[in-house]
Amino acid sequence: MLIHKVDEDVSLRMLNINDAEEFYNLTISSKAYLKEWLGWLDFIESVEDTAQNINARLKSFAENGGIPRSFAIIYKGKIAGTIGFNDINKLNKIGTIGYWLGEHFQGKGIMSKAFKSLIDYGFKNLGLNKIEVSVAVENNKSRVLPERFGFVEEGKIRQAEWLYDHYVDHIIYGLLVNEWY
């Protein structure tokens, strides 16, 4: 699954080094918006930083036996965000999804389509038994996704993440393969 067409406007594909400038520009143009819930944005200072991130993803692809774990979300030919499995516990067959969408791509149903497609990919192609999502308690826009797709709220992790000047608690959602099919 190097490229997966979700519908006429949305597809998922692996990022490549030629995407560094476009992906960097998307990140920077949405920085103020994304910074509310993503704690790593101050570490992105140049196209080279983004290229290093893409190279790490490509290295993970090679180390994972040629099976991609993360994707660019493409909307009408433009990179709109990213989605993937931030972690895969191979022993227990559990994948943890992470995602973000650029500010001007919000409200078009893009992330819902990408999220559903990644769930299918995780269960069908990666053979996962469970998919988890960890979301800041107050991040209501992000919490809608797992709730919309039948994930079960499994608990709360106190002070799970440092966001620049404060900690946030996370809600952990889980979905089992037999709940999806």
Side-chain angles (χ1 to χ4, degrees):
M1 184 177 149
L2 301 179
I3 300 174
H4 173 70
K5 188 171 181 170
V6 177
D7 68 12
E8 199 60 37
D9 294 328
V10 179
S11 61
L12 303 180
R13 73 163 170 78
M14 289 183 52
L15 283 163
N16 65 65
I17 201 63
N18 296 328
D19 293 322
E21 187 170 346
E22 182 181 356
F23 195 43
Y24 170 77
N25 289 335
L26 173 67
T27 305
I28 295 307
S29 70
S30 298
K31 186 174 182 176
Y33 173 78
L34 296 171
K35 204 168 178 180
E36 183 176 8
W37 302 114
L38 299 176
W40 48 264
L41 287 156
D42 284 347
F43 298 104
I44 305 299
E45 297 177 346
S46 67
V47 173
E48 180 56 35
D49 292 336
T50 302
Q52 288 177 7
N53 175 274
I54 291 171
N55 279 329
R57 292 173 190 234
L58 293 171
K59 183 178 177 189
S60 171
F61 169 71
E63 291 170 350
N64 203 36
I67 299 171
R69 291 175 34 169
S70 66
F71 305 92
I73 301 169
I74 308 299
Y75 178 70
K76 295 185 177 180
K78 300 284 185 194
I79 298 174
T82 185
I83 191 166
F85 290 98
N86 292 339
D87 184 50
I88 295 178
N89 178 323
K90 289 182 181 182
L91 177 65
N92 295 306
K93 298 182 180 181
I94 299 171
T96 304
I97 294 180
Y99 49 89
W100 65 265
L101 199 61
E103 182 174 15
H104 60 282
F105 292 99
Q106 300 285 321
K108 301 176 188 322
I110 299 167
M111 187 56 79
S112 289
K113 293 173 185 177
F115 193 84
K116 182 181 185 298
S117 185
L118 191 69
I119 293 168
D120 282 334
Y121 176 73
F123 288 139
K124 288 179 186 173
N125 298 77
L126 300 181
L128 297 175
N129 179 61
K130 182 179 183 182
I131 296 176
E132 294 180 340
V133 180
S134 178
V135 182
V137 171
E138 294 84 16
N139 188 347
N140 294 319
K141 286 176 87 173
S142 192
R143 288 182 62 181
V144 165
L145 280 169
E147 291 171 2
R148 178 179 298 143
F149 290 101
F151 282 66
V152 174
E153 187 176 315
E154 297 187 340
K156 181 163 100 173
I157 308 295
R158 297 177 303 142
Q159 296 188 357
E161 183 179 18
W162 176 255
L163 289 178
Y164 305 101
D165 62 356
H166 66 286
Y167 283 100
V168 294
D169 298 344
H170 278 199
I171 296 293
I172 306 298
Y173 293 95
L175 181 69
L176 302 175
V177 67
N178 63 358
E179 296 168 336
W180 186 245
Y181 296 110

